[in-house]
mmCIF file of all heavy atoms in Angstrom:
data_model
loop_
_atom_site.group_PDB
_atom_site.id
_atom_site.type_symbol
_atom_site.label_atom_id
_atom_site.label_comp_id
_atom_site.label_asym_id
_atom_site.label_seq_id
_atom_site.Cartn_x
_atom_site.Cartn_y
_atom_site.Cartn_z
ATOM 1 N N ALA A 4 51.027 20.833 -121.272
ATOM 2 C CA ALA A 4 49.932 21.550 -121.927
ATOM 3 C C ALA A 4 48.579 21.059 -121.433
ATOM 4 O O ALA A 4 47.592 21.796 -121.493
ATOM 5 C CB ALA A 4 50.044 21.372 -123.441
ATOM 6 N N THR A 5 48.519 19.837 -120.924
ATOM 7 C CA THR A 5 47.268 19.281 -120.407
ATOM 8 C C THR A 5 46.928 19.806 -119.017
ATOM 9 O O THR A 5 45.847 19.535 -118.504
ATOM 10 C CB THR A 5 47.367 17.757 -120.336
ATOM 11 O OG1 THR A 5 48.468 17.398 -119.472
ATOM 12 C CG2 THR A 5 47.610 17.155 -121.718
ATOM 13 N N GLY A 6 47.862 20.542 -118.388
ATOM 14 C CA GLY A 6 47.681 20.991 -117.014
ATOM 15 C C GLY A 6 48.314 20.059 -116.008
ATOM 16 O O GLY A 6 48.418 20.387 -114.816
ATOM 17 N N GLU A 7 48.749 18.884 -116.446
ATOM 18 C CA GLU A 7 49.393 17.899 -115.562
ATOM 19 C C GLU A 7 50.793 18.380 -115.179
ATOM 20 O O GLU A 7 51.491 19.022 -115.978
ATOM 21 C CB GLU A 7 49.477 16.553 -116.276
ATOM 22 C CG GLU A 7 50.125 15.450 -115.456
ATOM 23 C CD GLU A 7 50.282 14.158 -116.240
ATOM 24 O OE1 GLU A 7 49.983 14.169 -117.459
ATOM 25 O OE2 GLU A 7 50.714 13.158 -115.645
ATOM 26 N N LYS A 8 51.214 18.055 -113.965
ATOM 27 C CA LYS A 8 52.553 18.399 -113.491
ATOM 28 C C LYS A 8 53.367 17.135 -113.264
ATOM 29 O O LYS A 8 52.883 16.176 -112.659
ATOM 30 C CB LYS A 8 52.480 19.206 -112.193
ATOM 31 C CG LYS A 8 51.838 20.571 -112.345
ATOM 32 C CD LYS A 8 51.776 21.305 -111.017
ATOM 33 C CE LYS A 8 51.072 22.651 -111.180
ATOM 34 N NZ LYS A 8 50.963 23.373 -109.886
ATOM 35 N N LEU A 9 54.594 17.139 -113.764
ATOM 36 C CA LEU A 9 55.529 16.042 -113.537
ATOM 37 C C LEU A 9 56.627 16.522 -112.615
ATOM 38 O O LEU A 9 57.193 17.595 -112.817
ATOM 39 C CB LEU A 9 56.132 15.561 -114.859
ATOM 40 C CG LEU A 9 55.168 15.019 -115.916
ATOM 41 C CD1 LEU A 9 55.944 14.542 -117.137
ATOM 42 C CD2 LEU A 9 54.323 13.882 -115.357
ATOM 43 N N VAL A 10 56.938 15.735 -111.587
ATOM 44 C CA VAL A 10 57.958 16.084 -110.607
ATOM 45 C C VAL A 10 59.142 15.145 -110.767
ATOM 46 O O VAL A 10 58.961 13.928 -110.870
ATOM 47 C CB VAL A 10 57.399 15.997 -109.170
ATOM 48 C CG1 VAL A 10 58.479 16.350 -108.150
ATOM 49 C CG2 VAL A 10 56.199 16.927 -109.011
ATOM 50 N N GLY A 11 60.340 15.684 -110.803
ATOM 51 C CA GLY A 11 61.517 14.842 -110.959
ATOM 52 C C GLY A 11 62.768 15.660 -111.182
ATOM 53 O O GLY A 11 63.045 16.613 -110.443
ATOM 54 N N PHE A 12 63.517 15.337 -112.273
ATOM 55 C CA PHE A 12 64.801 15.992 -112.525
ATOM 56 C C PHE A 12 64.938 16.293 -114.003
ATOM 57 O O PHE A 12 64.797 15.406 -114.858
ATOM 58 C CB PHE A 12 65.958 15.093 -112.067
ATOM 59 C CG PHE A 12 67.318 15.622 -112.417
ATOM 60 C CD1 PHE A 12 67.831 16.738 -111.754
ATOM 61 C CD2 PHE A 12 68.081 15.035 -113.418
ATOM 62 C CE1 PHE A 12 69.084 17.245 -112.081
ATOM 63 C CE2 PHE A 12 69.334 15.527 -113.746
ATOM 64 C CZ PHE A 12 69.829 16.640 -113.071
ATOM 65 N N LEU A 13 65.207 17.570 -114.321
ATOM 66 C CA LEU A 13 65.448 17.982 -115.701
ATOM 67 C C LEU A 13 66.888 17.659 -116.055
ATOM 68 O O LEU A 13 67.821 18.205 -115.470
ATOM 69 C CB LEU A 13 65.182 19.476 -115.864
ATOM 70 C CG LEU A 13 65.462 20.071 -117.237
ATOM 71 C CD1 LEU A 13 64.497 19.514 -118.276
ATOM 72 C CD2 LEU A 13 65.396 21.588 -117.194
ATOM 73 N N GLU A 14 67.075 16.787 -117.041
ATOM 74 C CA GLU A 14 68.421 16.344 -117.400
ATOM 75 C C GLU A 14 69.007 17.114 -118.571
ATOM 76 O O GLU A 14 70.200 17.399 -118.614
ATOM 77 C CB GLU A 14 68.395 14.841 -117.734
ATOM 78 C CG GLU A 14 69.759 14.232 -117.856
ATOM 79 C CD GLU A 14 69.691 12.715 -117.929
ATOM 80 O OE1 GLU A 14 69.524 12.198 -119.060
ATOM 81 O OE2 GLU A 14 69.793 12.061 -116.870
ATOM 82 N N TRP A 15 68.154 17.496 -119.530
ATOM 83 C CA TRP A 15 68.668 18.154 -120.742
ATOM 84 C C TRP A 15 67.524 18.837 -121.456
ATOM 85 O O TRP A 15 66.364 18.385 -121.398
ATOM 86 C CB TRP A 15 69.322 17.117 -121.646
ATOM 87 C CG TRP A 15 69.725 17.624 -123.009
ATOM 88 C CD1 TRP A 15 70.865 18.290 -123.343
ATOM 89 C CD2 TRP A 15 68.971 17.477 -124.224
ATOM 90 N NE1 TRP A 15 70.874 18.579 -124.688
ATOM 91 C CE2 TRP A 15 69.728 18.088 -125.255
ATOM 92 C CE3 TRP A 15 67.753 16.888 -124.536
ATOM 93 C CZ2 TRP A 15 69.284 18.131 -126.569
ATOM 94 C CZ3 TRP A 15 67.306 16.938 -125.847
ATOM 95 C CH2 TRP A 15 68.072 17.549 -126.847
ATOM 96 N N MET A 16 67.830 19.952 -122.158
ATOM 97 C CA MET A 16 66.846 20.641 -122.988
ATOM 98 C C MET A 16 67.444 20.901 -124.348
ATOM 99 O O MET A 16 68.564 21.416 -124.458
ATOM 100 C CB MET A 16 66.414 21.964 -122.347
ATOM 101 C CG MET A 16 65.797 21.827 -120.974
ATOM 102 S SD MET A 16 65.121 23.383 -120.341
ATOM 103 C CE MET A 16 63.611 23.523 -121.316
ATOM 104 N N GLY A 17 66.705 20.543 -125.384
ATOM 105 C CA GLY A 17 67.164 20.765 -126.742
ATOM 106 C C GLY A 17 66.271 21.728 -127.484
ATOM 107 O O GLY A 17 65.424 22.404 -126.895
ATOM 108 N N ALA A 18 66.449 21.788 -128.789
ATOM 109 C CA ALA A 18 65.684 22.731 -129.601
ATOM 110 C C ALA A 18 64.214 22.347 -129.682
ATOM 111 O O ALA A 18 63.345 23.217 -129.757
ATOM 112 C CB ALA A 18 66.277 22.814 -131.004
ATOM 113 N N GLU A 19 63.912 21.037 -129.644
ATOM 114 C CA GLU A 19 62.538 20.585 -129.840
ATOM 115 C C GLU A 19 62.030 19.662 -128.749
ATOM 116 O O GLU A 19 60.844 19.312 -128.746
ATOM 117 C CB GLU A 19 62.405 19.883 -131.193
ATOM 118 C CG GLU A 19 62.731 20.793 -132.383
ATOM 119 C CD GLU A 19 62.609 20.082 -133.710
ATOM 120 O OE1 GLU A 19 62.377 18.848 -133.693
ATOM 121 O OE2 GLU A 19 62.741 20.743 -134.752
ATOM 122 N N ALA A 20 62.893 19.257 -127.816
ATOM 123 C CA ALA A 20 62.470 18.311 -126.782
ATOM 124 C C ALA A 20 63.356 18.474 -125.555
ATOM 125 O O ALA A 20 64.374 19.182 -125.579
ATOM 126 C CB ALA A 20 62.535 16.873 -127.305
ATOM 127 N N LEU A 21 62.944 17.826 -124.459
ATOM 128 C CA LEU A 21 63.752 17.794 -123.241
ATOM 129 C C LEU A 21 63.742 16.385 -122.670
ATOM 130 O O LEU A 21 62.840 15.583 -122.955
ATOM 131 C CB LEU A 21 63.243 18.808 -122.214
ATOM 132 C CG LEU A 21 61.786 18.730 -121.740
ATOM 133 C CD1 LEU A 21 61.592 17.657 -120.662
ATOM 134 C CD2 LEU A 21 61.342 20.075 -121.195
ATOM 135 N N ASP A 22 64.764 16.086 -121.873
ATOM 136 C CA ASP A 22 64.840 14.803 -121.167
ATOM 137 C C ASP A 22 64.535 15.044 -119.708
ATOM 138 O O ASP A 22 65.158 15.908 -119.065
ATOM 139 C CB ASP A 22 66.241 14.184 -121.311
ATOM 140 C CG ASP A 22 66.502 13.671 -122.721
ATOM 141 O OD1 ASP A 22 65.526 13.575 -123.496
ATOM 142 O OD2 ASP A 22 67.668 13.387 -123.047
ATOM 143 N N PHE A 23 63.579 14.268 -119.161
ATOM 144 C CA PHE A 23 63.132 14.475 -117.786
ATOM 145 C C PHE A 23 63.008 13.138 -117.083
ATOM 146 O O PHE A 23 62.383 12.198 -117.599
ATOM 147 C CB PHE A 23 61.776 15.196 -117.790
ATOM 148 C CG PHE A 23 61.379 15.752 -116.454
ATOM 149 C CD1 PHE A 23 61.895 16.962 -116.001
ATOM 150 C CD2 PHE A 23 60.487 15.072 -115.637
ATOM 151 C CE1 PHE A 23 61.530 17.487 -114.773
ATOM 152 C CE2 PHE A 23 60.109 15.582 -114.405
ATOM 153 C CZ PHE A 23 60.630 16.793 -113.967
ATOM 154 N N VAL A 24 63.616 13.057 -115.903
ATOM 155 C CA VAL A 24 63.522 11.855 -115.068
ATOM 156 C C VAL A 24 62.349 12.043 -114.116
ATOM 157 O O VAL A 24 62.363 12.947 -113.274
ATOM 158 C CB VAL A 24 64.822 11.619 -114.274
ATOM 159 C CG1 VAL A 24 64.680 10.367 -113.405
ATOM 160 C CG2 VAL A 24 66.016 11.487 -115.214
ATOM 161 N N VAL A 25 61.319 11.229 -114.252
ATOM 162 C CA VAL A 25 60.121 11.352 -113.422
ATOM 163 C C VAL A 25 60.314 10.595 -112.118
ATOM 164 O O VAL A 25 60.631 9.396 -112.125
ATOM 165 C CB VAL A 25 58.876 10.826 -114.168
ATOM 166 C CG1 VAL A 25 57.631 10.947 -113.278
ATOM 167 C CG2 VAL A 25 58.671 11.582 -115.466
ATOM 168 N N GLY A 26 60.132 11.287 -111.001
ATOM 169 C CA GLY A 26 60.226 10.647 -109.692
ATOM 170 C C GLY A 26 61.560 9.984 -109.460
ATOM 171 O O GLY A 26 62.620 10.582 -109.677
ATOM 172 N N ASP A 27 61.510 8.716 -109.067
ATOM 173 C CA ASP A 27 62.727 7.948 -108.771
ATOM 174 C C ASP A 27 63.111 7.014 -109.906
ATOM 175 O O ASP A 27 63.861 6.044 -109.698
ATOM 176 C CB ASP A 27 62.525 7.137 -107.487
ATOM 177 C CG ASP A 27 62.302 8.017 -106.266
ATOM 178 O OD1 ASP A 27 62.896 9.105 -106.236
ATOM 179 O OD2 ASP A 27 61.536 7.622 -105.367
ATOM 180 N N ALA A 28 62.620 7.283 -111.099
ATOM 181 C CA ALA A 28 62.929 6.422 -112.236
ATOM 182 C C ALA A 28 64.424 6.442 -112.533
ATOM 183 O O ALA A 28 65.141 7.389 -112.196
ATOM 184 C CB ALA A 28 62.136 6.865 -113.463
ATOM 185 N N ASP A 29 64.897 5.400 -113.176
ATOM 186 C CA ASP A 29 66.316 5.296 -113.501
ATOM 187 C C ASP A 29 66.677 6.043 -114.779
ATOM 188 O O ASP A 29 67.776 6.588 -114.904
ATOM 189 C CB ASP A 29 66.715 3.821 -113.640
ATOM 190 C CG ASP A 29 66.612 3.067 -112.321
ATOM 191 O OD1 ASP A 29 66.839 3.699 -111.268
ATOM 192 O OD2 ASP A 29 66.284 1.864 -112.349
ATOM 193 N N ASP A 30 65.767 6.049 -115.726
ATOM 194 C CA ASP A 30 66.068 6.629 -117.030
ATOM 195 C C ASP A 30 65.117 7.789 -117.342
ATOM 196 O O ASP A 30 63.947 7.778 -116.935
ATOM 197 C CB ASP A 30 65.942 5.566 -118.126
ATOM 198 C CG ASP A 30 66.915 4.417 -117.917
ATOM 199 O OD1 ASP A 30 68.091 4.699 -117.615
ATOM 200 O OD2 ASP A 30 66.485 3.255 -118.031
ATOM 201 N N PRO A 31 65.602 8.775 -118.095
ATOM 202 C CA PRO A 31 64.735 9.904 -118.454
ATOM 203 C C PRO A 31 63.795 9.542 -119.596
ATOM 204 O O PRO A 31 64.042 8.592 -120.355
ATOM 205 C CB PRO A 31 65.733 10.977 -118.891
ATOM 206 C CG PRO A 31 66.888 10.198 -119.430
ATOM 207 C CD PRO A 31 66.987 8.954 -118.588
ATOM 208 N N ILE A 32 62.714 10.300 -119.696
ATOM 209 C CA ILE A 32 61.841 10.201 -120.852
ATOM 210 C C ILE A 32 61.992 11.479 -121.654
ATOM 211 O O ILE A 32 62.273 12.537 -121.106
ATOM 212 C CB ILE A 32 60.369 9.991 -120.447
ATOM 213 C CG1 ILE A 32 59.881 11.148 -119.555
ATOM 214 C CG2 ILE A 32 60.175 8.652 -119.758
ATOM 215 C CD1 ILE A 32 58.395 11.085 -119.251
ATOM 216 N N GLN A 33 61.821 11.373 -122.960
ATOM 217 C CA GLN A 33 61.936 12.555 -123.814
ATOM 218 C C GLN A 33 60.543 13.096 -124.110
ATOM 219 O O GLN A 33 59.651 12.357 -124.526
ATOM 220 C CB GLN A 33 62.665 12.232 -125.115
ATOM 221 C CG GLN A 33 63.014 13.467 -125.919
ATOM 222 C CD GLN A 33 64.041 13.198 -127.002
ATOM 223 O OE1 GLN A 33 63.675 12.935 -128.141
ATOM 224 N NE2 GLN A 33 65.329 13.255 -126.648
ATOM 225 N N ILE A 34 60.362 14.389 -123.869
ATOM 226 C CA ILE A 34 59.065 15.029 -124.037
ATOM 227 C C ILE A 34 59.216 16.166 -125.038
ATOM 228 O O ILE A 34 60.065 17.050 -124.861
ATOM 229 C CB ILE A 34 58.545 15.583 -122.695
ATOM 230 C CG1 ILE A 34 58.448 14.459 -121.658
ATOM 231 C CG2 ILE A 34 57.188 16.264 -122.880
ATOM 232 C CD1 ILE A 34 58.060 14.947 -120.278
ATOM 233 N N PRO A 35 58.416 16.186 -126.092
ATOM 234 C CA PRO A 35 58.477 17.309 -127.050
ATOM 235 C C PRO A 35 58.109 18.629 -126.366
ATOM 236 O O PRO A 35 57.188 18.678 -125.545
ATOM 237 C CB PRO A 35 57.441 16.929 -128.108
ATOM 238 C CG PRO A 35 57.255 15.451 -127.961
ATOM 239 C CD PRO A 35 57.461 15.154 -126.510
ATOM 240 N N LEU A 36 58.810 19.678 -126.709
ATOM 241 C CA LEU A 36 58.555 20.969 -126.078
ATOM 242 C C LEU A 36 57.167 21.507 -126.407
ATOM 243 O O LEU A 36 56.627 22.325 -125.659
ATOM 244 C CB LEU A 36 59.617 21.988 -126.510
ATOM 245 C CG LEU A 36 61.019 21.782 -125.940
ATOM 246 C CD1 LEU A 36 61.940 22.896 -126.399
ATOM 247 C CD2 LEU A 36 60.988 21.724 -124.428
ATOM 248 N N GLU A 37 56.571 21.067 -127.510
ATOM 249 C CA GLU A 37 55.220 21.509 -127.841
ATOM 250 C C GLU A 37 54.195 21.029 -126.816
ATOM 251 O O GLU A 37 53.088 21.566 -126.749
ATOM 252 C CB GLU A 37 54.833 21.033 -129.235
ATOM 253 C CG GLU A 37 54.782 19.520 -129.374
ATOM 254 C CD GLU A 37 54.508 19.074 -130.798
ATOM 255 O OE1 GLU A 37 54.684 19.890 -131.733
ATOM 256 O OE2 GLU A 37 54.126 17.901 -130.981
ATOM 257 N N ARG A 38 54.597 20.053 -125.982
ATOM 258 C CA ARG A 38 53.706 19.548 -124.930
ATOM 259 C C ARG A 38 53.998 20.197 -123.576
ATOM 260 O O ARG A 38 53.337 19.892 -122.587
ATOM 261 C CB ARG A 38 53.859 18.029 -124.797
ATOM 262 C CG ARG A 38 53.391 17.228 -125.987
ATOM 263 C CD ARG A 38 53.627 15.755 -125.755
ATOM 264 N NE ARG A 38 53.072 15.322 -124.471
ATOM 265 C CZ ARG A 38 53.396 14.180 -123.874
ATOM 266 N NH1 ARG A 38 54.305 13.368 -124.420
ATOM 267 N NH2 ARG A 38 52.849 13.850 -122.717
ATOM 268 N N VAL A 39 54.992 21.104 -123.534
ATOM 269 C CA VAL A 39 55.415 21.718 -122.269
ATOM 270 C C VAL A 39 55.045 23.195 -122.268
ATOM 271 O O VAL A 39 55.367 23.929 -123.205
ATOM 272 C CB VAL A 39 56.938 21.551 -122.062
ATOM 273 C CG1 VAL A 39 57.368 22.213 -120.760
ATOM 274 C CG2 VAL A 39 57.318 20.077 -122.077
ATOM 275 N N HIS A 40 54.371 23.640 -121.193
ATOM 276 C CA HIS A 40 54.062 25.060 -121.047
ATOM 277 C C HIS A 40 55.083 25.776 -120.170
ATOM 278 O O HIS A 40 55.330 26.964 -120.367
ATOM 279 C CB HIS A 40 52.663 25.243 -120.449
ATOM 280 C CG HIS A 40 51.582 25.162 -121.480
ATOM 281 N ND1 HIS A 40 50.273 25.460 -121.220
ATOM 282 C CD2 HIS A 40 51.631 24.820 -122.805
ATOM 283 C CE1 HIS A 40 49.552 25.307 -122.321
ATOM 284 N NE2 HIS A 40 50.349 24.912 -123.284
ATOM 285 N N ALA A 41 55.649 25.061 -119.193
ATOM 286 C CA ALA A 41 56.636 25.693 -118.306
ATOM 287 C C ALA A 41 57.450 24.622 -117.614
ATOM 288 O O ALA A 41 57.024 23.474 -117.481
ATOM 289 C CB ALA A 41 55.948 26.581 -117.276
ATOM 290 N N VAL A 42 58.648 25.009 -117.194
ATOM 291 C CA VAL A 42 59.495 24.138 -116.384
ATOM 292 C C VAL A 42 60.106 24.970 -115.270
ATOM 293 O O VAL A 42 60.554 26.093 -115.494
ATOM 294 C CB VAL A 42 60.601 23.467 -117.244
ATOM 295 C CG1 VAL A 42 61.421 24.501 -117.996
ATOM 296 C CG2 VAL A 42 61.502 22.609 -116.376
ATOM 297 N N SER A 43 60.078 24.442 -114.049
ATOM 298 C CA SER A 43 60.705 25.097 -112.907
ATOM 299 C C SER A 43 61.814 24.203 -112.391
ATOM 300 O O SER A 43 61.642 22.988 -112.252
ATOM 301 C CB SER A 43 59.678 25.363 -111.793
ATOM 302 O OG SER A 43 58.733 26.322 -112.203
ATOM 303 N N ILE A 44 62.967 24.822 -112.114
ATOM 304 C CA ILE A 44 64.148 24.086 -111.670
ATOM 305 C C ILE A 44 64.393 24.406 -110.203
ATOM 306 O O ILE A 44 64.298 25.565 -109.788
ATOM 307 C CB ILE A 44 65.372 24.460 -112.520
ATOM 308 C CG1 ILE A 44 65.058 24.232 -114.004
ATOM 309 C CG2 ILE A 44 66.594 23.651 -112.115
ATOM 310 C CD1 ILE A 44 66.156 24.669 -114.953
ATOM 311 N N ALA A 45 64.681 23.389 -109.414
ATOM 312 C CA ALA A 45 64.814 23.548 -107.959
ATOM 313 C C ALA A 45 66.145 24.187 -107.579
ATOM 314 O O ALA A 45 66.913 23.647 -106.779
ATOM 315 C CB ALA A 45 64.648 22.189 -107.269
ATOM 316 N N ASN A 46 66.418 25.359 -108.144
ATOM 317 C CA ASN A 46 67.575 26.157 -107.752
ATOM 318 C C ASN A 46 67.134 27.208 -106.747
ATOM 319 O O ASN A 46 66.041 27.757 -106.851
ATOM 320 C CB ASN A 46 68.195 26.840 -108.976
ATOM 321 C CG ASN A 46 68.818 25.855 -109.934
ATOM 322 O OD1 ASN A 46 69.397 24.857 -109.520
ATOM 323 N ND2 ASN A 46 68.706 26.116 -111.232
ATOM 324 N N LYS A 47 67.964 27.482 -105.787
ATOM 325 C CA LYS A 47 67.623 28.447 -104.739
ATOM 326 C C LYS A 47 67.863 29.875 -105.231
ATOM 327 O O LYS A 47 68.865 30.146 -105.893
ATOM 328 C CB LYS A 47 68.454 28.186 -103.475
ATOM 329 C CG LYS A 47 68.272 26.788 -102.890
ATOM 330 C CD LYS A 47 66.822 26.527 -102.512
ATOM 331 C CE LYS A 47 66.659 25.141 -101.899
ATOM 332 N NZ LYS A 47 65.225 24.832 -101.623
ATOM 333 N N PRO A 48 66.962 30.805 -104.903
ATOM 334 C CA PRO A 48 67.187 32.207 -105.280
ATOM 335 C C PRO A 48 68.394 32.781 -104.553
ATOM 336 O O PRO A 48 68.793 32.294 -103.493
ATOM 337 C CB PRO A 48 65.886 32.902 -104.863
ATOM 338 C CG PRO A 48 65.295 32.024 -103.814
ATOM 339 C CD PRO A 48 65.701 30.625 -104.158
ATOM 340 N N LYS A 49 68.962 33.841 -105.124
ATOM 341 C CA LYS A 49 70.115 34.488 -104.507
ATOM 342 C C LYS A 49 70.022 35.980 -104.751
ATOM 343 O O LYS A 49 69.326 36.445 -105.663
ATOM 344 C CB LYS A 49 71.424 33.942 -105.072
ATOM 345 C CG LYS A 49 71.655 34.300 -106.536
ATOM 346 C CD LYS A 49 72.998 33.788 -107.035
ATOM 347 C CE LYS A 49 73.239 34.217 -108.487
ATOM 348 N NZ LYS A 49 74.543 33.717 -108.995
ATOM 349 N N LEU A 50 70.725 36.748 -103.932
ATOM 350 C CA LEU A 50 70.786 38.192 -104.122
ATOM 351 C C LEU A 50 71.830 38.527 -105.174
ATOM 352 O O LEU A 50 72.899 37.908 -105.228
ATOM 353 C CB LEU A 50 71.138 38.895 -102.800
ATOM 354 C CG LEU A 50 70.098 38.806 -101.677
ATOM 355 C CD1 LEU A 50 70.641 39.457 -100.407
ATOM 356 C CD2 LEU A 50 68.788 39.472 -102.092
#
């Protein structure tokens, strides 16, 4: 929501929060969804 972007790995999404591994960190951090405006997952498009 602040405009900041975090790059890493989305591990889990729940009703009110998500777990995200930032960069090369070993453990995920939990971020409330009220602080998230969008998430993009590095999946390749397909026909």
Side-chain angles (χ1 to χ4, degrees):
T5 59
E7 180 184 6
K8 295 179 182 178
L9 299 182
V10 179
F12 174 71
L13 177 67
E14 191 169 87
W15 172 83
M16 301 187 75
E19 299 179 354
L21 57 81
D22 289 347
F23 194 81
V24 179
V25 179
D27 297 326
D29 294 328
D30 299 315
I32 58 173
Q33 190 165 94
I34 302 175
L36 289 183
E37 63 185 18
R38 294 178 51 196
V39 179
H40 277 188
V42 55
S43 293
I44 305 175
N46 293 324
K47 301 300 181 184
K49 67 177 183 180
L50 294 176

